Amino acid sequence: MLQNKTWNQNTIKSGNKSLVLETIMNHSPISRANIAEKTGLNKGTVSSQVNELLDEELIYEKGPGKSSGGRKPVILLFNEVAGYSIGIDIGVNYIFGILTDLKGNVCQKKSLTFNELSFDGIKATLFKIVDFLIASAPSSRYGIVGVGIGVPGATDKNGKVLLAPNLGWQNIDLKTIVEETYDCPVIIENEANAGAYGEKKFGTDADDIIYVSVGVGIGVGLILNGKLYQGNNGFSGEMGHMTIEANGARCRCGNNGCWELYASEQALINNTAHFGIKNEDNILEKMMNLAEEGDQEAIKRFKAIGDYLGIGIINIINSFNPQYVIIGNRMAAAKKWIEQPLLEKVNHHALWFQQRQLQINFSELSAHSTALGVAAFSIEHFFKFYNA
Ligand SMILES: [Zn+2]
C-alpha cells in the first residue's frame, strides 16, 4: 500500500504558483528577487506563492545566498525528495523498474527476466517489482506520485494495450488493472515513445530525435520539434513492422518480412541451432559472449543485424530528417559488433543531404531510457494534477 494518498487532496488553483514552482525547479538555487525578475511577477505575489510552496514542502529555504549589495538573500531550492515516481519497462523477456525522486534521479532499481509467460505471470512479476520499489521508497510528504509503465506494443490514450504481439496481449486495460491494485495514478505508454522521451529529458537536448528501441522487437519513438509525436490515436512508431524483405518470413503481426524479424533479438533467437544454444533466457548475452571470444559465426550474425538496422534507419532518416538517431534498449549492448556495419549502410545509402549534421548514437542511459521516460511522465502528471 502507498504511504499516503495526499496526491488527490492537493490542488493549486493558481497559475502563478505553478510558474513560481517551475522557475525554482529549473533555476534552483534562486532567490525570491530573481524569481520576480524571471517571471515578471511582483515581489508580493512571488512571496505569497513561495510561502505556500514552503508549506507544501515542495521547496525549501537555504540561506544566505550571494548578495549583489545590501542584505544577503535567502535562496530557495526545489525539494526533489517530496515524493517519488516509479518507472517500469516491460520488455518481451524482462521487466525493469526504477524508483526516482521528483527530479528523475534514480534511487532504486530492480529487474526480473522471464520466458513465455502468460498475462497473469507477467502481471505477478510486475506487481513484485512495483511492491519492491514502493517498499524501498523513503518516507516523504507525497509518497509515490505515480506509476508509469512502458509496454512493447500499441497503447491508446486511455492506457489500454491494444496489441503487443510479442507478449501475445490484445485489448488489455493495464491502466485500470494497476490502478485498482495501487490506488495511485498510472500512465501506460509505448516503450519506444517513453524511451524517446527519456532520451530527450536525460540524454540530449536536440529537438528532432528518433529513438530506435531494439529488443526482441523494434519500436521507434519520435521527438519532432521538441515534442513526443504520438499520432492521432497514439500508435505512431510501429516501424518494427515495416516491410524490409518483400518475400520475407511471416511475422506475428500477420505481415511478411517485417524489419524486427531481421534486425532485433528475434533474428538471434530464431537462429540459435548452429550455436547449440537452446531457446531460453539471455540469448543476446550468450551470443555476445561468443562474439567476445572471437566466434566468427556469432560476429557474422551481429553484422547482419547491424546491416538490417542500417537499412531500416535509412528509411526513417529519409522520412524525418532528424538531428539524432539513438539506438536503445537491449541490443545497444552489442554496439561493438553492430555499430560499424550500421553506420556503413547509412553512409552509403541515405540521401547525402540527409546526412548533414546527423548523428547516430547508441543510448548512454544504459537501457534505462524507457523507465526514465515513464517515470518522468508520472512526475509531470503529478505536477499538472497538482497545478490543476
Ligand atoms: Zn510484423
Side-chain angles (χ1 to χ4, degrees):
M1 271 290 102
L2 293 179
Q3 293 154 339
N4 61 52
K5 295 180 189 173
T6 45
W7 60 269
N8 60 3
Q9 292 156 8
N10 286 276
T11 51
I12 301 183
K13 298 265 188 283
S14 146
N16 286 344
K17 184 148 67 172
S18 90
L19 185 59
V20 170
L21 177 60
E22 236 184 308
T23 308
I24 296 168
M25 284 168 84
N26 295 333
H27 302 283
S28 172
I30 187 169
S31 69
R32 286 170 174 79
N34 283 339
I35 295 172
E37 221 167 82
K38 280 197 193 299
T39 58
L41 297 171
N42 70 50
K43 283 183 184 170
T45 307
V46 169
S47 203
S48 66
Q49 305 303 334
V50 161
N51 287 342
E52 286 184 29
L53 289 166
L54 284 168
D55 282 346
E56 287 153 356
E57 295 176 47
L58 285 172
I59 61 171
Y60 62 97
E61 286 183 316
K62 213 173 164 187
K66 252 193 224 148
S67 169
S68 49
R71 197 159 58 94
K72 285 187 175 178
V74 171
I75 52 166
L76 300 163
L77 291 106
F78 175 51
N79 182 17
E80 64 254 33
V81 294
Y84 293 86
S85 176
I86 288 177
I88 304 280
D89 172 14
I90 301 186
V92 174
N93 47 11
Y94 68 90
I95 298 181
F96 173 67
I98 56 173
L99 177 81
T100 76
D101 65 21
L102 296 179
K103 234 179 172 174
N105 297 309
V106 177
C107 312
Q108 183 61 271
K109 50 188 168 181
K110 186 168 181 69
S111 176
L112 291 170
T113 58
F114 54 81
N115 215 357
E116 302 281 331
L117 272 188
S118 65
F119 174 72
D120 284 336
I122 294 175
K123 192 173 83 177
T125 309
L126 168 67
F127 287 178
K128 208 185 272 180
I129 289 184
V130 175
D131 288 342
F132 170 80
L133 293 172
I134 288 174
S136 62
S139 85
S140 64
R141 169 92 179 236
Y142 297 98
I144 304 293
V145 301
V147 176
I149 303 177
V151 294
T155 61
D156 71 11
K157 289 178 177 170
N158 301 316
K160 209 176 199 183
V161 183
L162 298 185
L163 185 67
N166 293 323
L167 291 174
W169 291 7
Q170 214 168 337
N171 285 319
I172 288 188
D173 191 355
L174 192 60
K175 179 180 160 77
T176 304
I177 292 168
V178 179
E179 271 179 353
E180 277 170 357
T181 307
Y182 292 103
D183 196 23
C184 74
V186 172
I187 290 176
I188 309 292
E189 183 55 81
N190 168 271
E191 59 88 21
N193 285 352
Y197 197 68
E199 293 289 340
K200 165 79 183 151
K201 251 329 302 168
F202 304 103
T204 162
D205 55 3
D207 274 341
D208 294 289
I209 306 168
I210 308 290
Y211 175 75
V212 184
S213 168
V214 190
V216 172
I218 296 181
V220 176
L222 307 167
I223 302 284
L224 303 176
N225 297 323
K227 289 209 172 93
L228 178 66
Y229 178 79
Q230 292 167 298
N232 185 29
N233 295 310
F235 308 148
S236 65
E238 287 295 328
M239 291 165 200
H241 300 284
M242 66 182 172
T243 307
I244 286 284
E245 291 283 359
N247 299 309
R250 187 90 167 156
C251 175
R252 283 190 238 194
C253 76
N255 187 17
N256 283 73
C258 292
W259 188 25
E260 66 178 36
L261 297 179
Y262 301 90
S264 76
E265 278 185 84
Q266 255 180 76
L268 298 176
I269 292 167
N270 294 340
N271 293 294
T272 52
H274 171 87
F275 301 97
I277 299 174
K278 282 193 200 123
N279 208 357
E280 54 190 39
D281 289 347
N282 305 328
I283 287 171
L284 175 63
E285 286 73 14
K286 284 172 188 161
M287 291 290 284
M288 286 197 296
N289 286 341
L290 287 171
E292 197 64 64
E293 290 161 8
D295 185 307
Q296 287 308 306
E297 192 59 31
I299 291 169
K300 216 168 98 189
R301 297 288 162 89
F302 280 119
K303 181 183 177 302
I305 286 179
D307 283 339
Y308 274 112
L309 274 177
I311 291 168
I313 286 170
I314 289 164
N315 290 323
I316 300 172
I317 290 170
N318 285 337
S319 305
F320 293 103
N321 179 222
Q323 185 182 352
Y324 269 96
V325 174
I326 301 167
I327 321 293
N329 204 341
R330 283 167 45 82
M331 191 61 84
K335 175 183 177 180
K336 185 171 168 186
W337 303 284
I338 61 179
E339 184 178 31
Q340 207 48 41
L342 190 164
L343 293 181
E344 273 170 26
K345 268 275 180 276
V346 174
N347 289 341
H348 288 144
H349 300 288
L351 293 169
W352 60 269
F353 50 83
Q354 295 284 12
Q355 300 189 37
R356 285 185 190 158
Q357 293 155 357
L358 170 70
Q359 285 195 47
I360 300 180
N361 292 324
F362 284 70
S363 174
E364 286 174 9
L365 302 178
S366 52
H368 290 17
S369 327
T370 293
L372 280 168
V374 277
F377 282 145
S378 284
I379 294 166
E380 276 158 33
H381 180 265
F382 167 69
F383 281 118
K384 264 189 214 129
F385 197 86
Y386 189 83
N387 293 329

